[in-house]
Amino acid sequence: MKIALKVALLTVLATAFYTYVGHMVPQKITYPPESVELRADMTTEEMVRVGEEIVGGKGTCLGCHTIGSHEAGRFPDLGGIGAKAGSRREGMSDVEYLAESLYDPGAYIVEGFNPGMIPVSKPPVSLTDQEILAVIAYLQSLGSTPTVTMQTKLEYAGAAASIPPGTATSAVPAAGTGGQSGQELVTAYGCVGCHSLDTPDKILGPSLYDVGNRLSLAELYESIMDPDATIAEGYQPGLMTATLGAVKFYDKVSAGELKTIVDYLAARKGNE
């Protein structure tokens, strides 16, 4: 009886949070780069190279966008966006349009696509203003000539401090785990309430006992950041998404914690 009540309550949560959280997380997340150099005196050409790394790594852009593909993704293909951006919205330059698309993606939805992209300046992506400038430089290079510099001012830029000339920073901000292990984080975020860690027994969600044998690193990231992308047979869609939303997991988790959790899960092979 208690289990039935628990399932019923979680079902109600799923109904309440599914649509909201479904729009707040990216379709996929890719393994982030360890470090990317960002300096205030970078040339535009250097910004393009860094922007490409961010798009394919920390920015998680390629989980939802393709580049030069004829197959429709969740969001528009970015091939040639540098040439299209200046005419996409009347009265907006290419830089203004690209900035809006990154800081406020819901302001304009390309015809044929649904809303759902999160602002990349907010968690869980959390790009800095400088990182976004580098991404814009790269996007401009896809079909046009990049014009932005590290000194370009964007309307949407927040209060992030400017980088003094010659200073190097990381494109992946320092986001530690507070010294917690993967197992401690999995427990702290409540995963053990729905998943068993030490046995193959199923609870409300699949066992994590041997998940490292079943899912790759990319699939583990996706299962956390977009739980409804792939649903294990016999389980209810929306349940994990709603649960993580209810505990504000996506607002709280840092990049360092996420990596620690995924590394811990990848190491679980069912032989412990």
Side-chain angles (χ1 to χ4, degrees), residues 104-120:
D104 187 16
Y108 175 80
I109 307 300
V110 176
E111 186 177 357
F113 292 89
N114 295 317
M117 177 176 163
I118 60 172
V120 300

Side-chain angles (χ1 to χ4, degrees), residues 68-79:
S69 173
H70 296 295
E71 296 182 7
R74 180 178 179 183
F75 296 140
D77 179 71
L78 297 177

